[in-house]
Amino acid sequence: MKRSRFSEEQIIAILKEQEAGLPTADVCRRHGVSSATFYKWKAKFGGLEVSEAKRLRQLEDENAKLKKLLAEAMLDNAMLKEITGKKMVAPAARREAVAHLEQVFEVSQRRACDVLGVDRTMVRYRSRRGDDGAIRERMRGLAAERRRFGYRRLHWLLGREGVIINHKKFRRLYREERLQVRRRGGRKRALGTRAPMTIPQGRNQRWSLDFVSDALACGRRFRIFAVVDDFTRECVRLIADTSISGLRVARELDWAIAERSRPALIVSDNGTELTSMAILRWSKERNVEWHYIAPGKPQQNGFIESFNARLRDECLNETIFTSLAQARSVLAVWRHDYNHHRPHSSLGNMTPAEMVAKSIGKPGWGLTPNPVVITPAQGHQSGRRLYS
């Protein structure tokens, strides 16, 4: 609004001249104002003294300031509501929020930063880091192939390809690419008293075996018979069929022994297939000791339980099986990958095949260890000798 060239004192003095009897036209001509301006002054300042006019001016200024403050507060409130529900933890998210407010509300960067409580130096900062495009692309490729691998195993795989990168930087890139693996929840189970678990000291000293169940796309159920060497973590057998009896288990174990060597001990649960007369007869004829864990204590057979979890998470849950033949083919490919390419954290990120190659030739390799006794949980049968 254009400021008047007359002050309140001058305007009131001009009005006093007209009240003293001087014609309005002469007053306007003398001071160079129009009659419309004169009557506007008269409507606003008529009957006021100089002190009262100054007070009126102060009230108008205060009212204007209050209106401005109210408008700014309402604008700040609207800007805060605009970004409600958006996470602004990372600097990149804060920069995006500031740019969004600048575009939507047409405010300055300073104003948007003040509303959000963000430092302007952080908003104006531009990173000088390289984009690491090749590493990111290879990382995405490996994550697409190994959907259930976390950043540690992906970092190990890249290292084997010759890509040397700090694990903290790799984790940052992994997080920026949003490749985090979602954890699959499971029901909580009651934990009882755990018996100590002995660790074998050589290949073929102890095998663990168990069954895993899954279904085809048509809904038909099938079972998977898995055998694992507890020392090298090798998957010895991985057999899929609609029904696997005790005789079939004995036959598969014979084939495994023909390929490798006879184990000193086999650990399993108390399933009907594994406690049948066929298995008891096979164990006696082959001179292989068979150890049954305590009922309801799967943690006593932790190696095969861990293997089953990896099998289900990385293979069964990632594949839709259309036929039993396709399931056998997929399991064979996954078993080869598990034994020869997949890193195992308990082996120092070596593969089971590398563990076998490293163990060959060591003193005591492949020999039967001294007898070791597992102390059972209270209320169960007495301890059994694990090795003959």
Side-chain angles (χ1 to χ4, degrees):
M1 183 177 180
K2 186 177 179 181
R3 186 176 181 85
S4 175
R5 56 191 178 92
F6 294 96
S7 63
E8 289 83 356
E9 295 86 349
Q10 292 174 335
I11 292 174
I12 292 175
I14 294 173
L15 295 178
K16 294 289 186 182
E17 292 180 5
Q18 192 265 350
E19 292 175 1
L22 192 65
T24 303
D26 294 343
V27 173
C28 293
R29 191 181 305 111
R30 176 183 298 178
H31 299 284
V33 297
S34 64
S35 57
T37 302
F38 178 83
Y39 286 111
K40 185 188 295 184
W41 289 348
K42 189 173 182 62
K44 184 176 181 180
F45 298 103
L48 294 179
E49 298 296 333
V50 175
S51 59
E52 295 174 345
K54 289 183 178 180
R55 179 57 182 165
L56 178 61
R57 181 66 176 179
Q58 292 177 357
L59 292 176
E60 289 178 349
D61 293 341
E62 292 177 1
N63 189 29
K65 291 180 180 179
L66 290 175
K67 286 183 178 180
K68 183 179 180 181
L69 291 176
L70 179 60
E72 291 179 352
M74 293 177 65
L75 181 59
D76 294 347
N77 190 25
M79 287 192 288
L80 291 175
K81 286 183 178 179
E82 179 69 19
I83 60 170
T84 299
K86 297 181 181 179
K87 292 184 178 180
M88 293 192 304
V89 180
R94 297 185 179 185
R95 294 189 190 101
E96 292 178 3
V98 171
H100 179 72
L101 293 183
E102 290 181 40
Q103 181 179 3
V104 174
F105 293 95
E106 299 181 355
V107 295
S108 64
Q109 186 184 85
R110 185 190 299 273
R111 178 70 179 279
C113 292
D114 290 341
V115 171
L116 300 179
V118 175
D119 194 348
R120 292 174 64 202
T121 57
M122 184 273 293
V123 175
R124 294 185 175 186
Y125 174 77
R126 294 295 177 264
S127 176
R128 294 189 291 270
R129 288 173 176 168
D131 58 351
D132 299 307
I135 296 178
R136 291 174 185 266
E137 183 177 358
R138 183 55 185 154
M139 187 190 308
R140 289 192 296 267
L142 288 175
E145 296 174 6
R146 313 277 185 168
R147 294 176 52 187
R148 302 303 301 174
F149 274 22
Y151 81 93
R152 291 184 179 88
R153 284 197 172 93
L154 292 181
H155 183 230
W156 183 85
L157 291 176
L158 274 180
R160 294 197 68 171
E161 295 179 1
V163 180
I164 307 301
I165 180 174
N166 183 273
H167 71 279
K168 292 181 286 186
K169 178 180 179 181
F170 184 86
R171 187 176 185 182
R172 175 177 61 81
L173 298 179
Y174 177 84
R175 186 172 56 250
E176 291 176 357
E177 294 296 327
R178 300 188 178 184
L179 300 176
Q180 293 91 335
V181 179
R182 286 185 174 271
R183 290 186 176 272
R184 292 192 173 104
R187 66 184 182 88
K188 295 182 179 180
R189 295 173 174 84
L191 296 178
T193 304
R194 295 183 177 181
M197 189 62 152
T198 58
I199 305 298
Q201 302 301 315
R203 189 172 183 242
N204 293 329
Q205 289 184 1
R206 187 175 73 198
W207 291 0
S208 298
L209 52 88
D210 198 4
F211 290 93
V212 182
S213 179
D214 204 356
L216 302 176
C218 62
R220 187 181 183 187
R221 306 293 298 181
F222 68 94
R223 307 184 75 191
I224 302 171
F225 175 60
V227 183
V228 173
D229 188 308
D230 291 353
F231 179 71
T232 63
R233 309 302 198 272
E234 292 175 276
C235 178
V236 179
R237 305 293 287 175
L238 201 60
I239 308 300
D241 209 335
T242 54
S243 177
I244 302 177
S245 63
L247 287 174
R248 177 71 181 279
V249 170
R251 188 165 63 250
E252 294 294 340
L253 291 176
D254 281 335
W255 289 344
I257 290 174
E259 293 175 359
R260 301 164 56 90
S261 180
R262 181 177 60 86
L265 174 72
I266 293 180
V267 182
S268 73
D269 57 17
N270 298 271
T272 55
E273 301 89 348
L274 306 177
T275 56
S276 63
M277 291 301 297
I279 293 298
L280 296 177
R281 188 182 307 111
W282 180 91
S283 175
K284 183 177 180 180
E285 292 175 353
R286 302 300 186 276
N287 193 24
V288 175
E289 187 172 355
W290 200 291
H291 175 77
Y292 294 100
I293 64 174
K297 297 290 182 180
Q299 62 269 23
Q300 294 182 7
N301 201 10
F303 292 100
I304 193 66
E305 294 293 340
S306 175
F307 173 81
N308 292 344
R310 303 286 77 76
L311 171 64
R312 186 169 299 280
D313 187 46
E314 298 175 10
C315 180
L316 302 185
N317 290 346
E318 296 293 311
T319 310
I320 298 177
F321 301 109
T322 58
S323 65
L324 193 58
Q326 185 232 355
R328 289 168 176 166
S329 175
V330 171
L331 289 173
V333 172
W334 187 85
R335 175 174 172 257
H336 181 271
D337 179 77
Y338 180 87
N339 286 338
H340 295 85
H341 302 290
R342 183 188 184 277
H344 209 295
S345 58
S346 63
L347 301 178
N349 283 330
M350 290 191 300
T351 64
E354 292 173 340
M355 185 63 181
V356 172
K358 182 179 179 181
S359 302
I360 294 177
K362 283 189 173 183
W365 178 83
L367 300 179
T368 304
N370 296 327
V372 180
V373 175
I374 288 184
T375 304
Q378 185 178 2
H380 293 292
Q381 54 187 336
S382 60
R384 298 185 182 182
R385 188 178 60 175
L386 292 189
Y387 302 105
S388 57

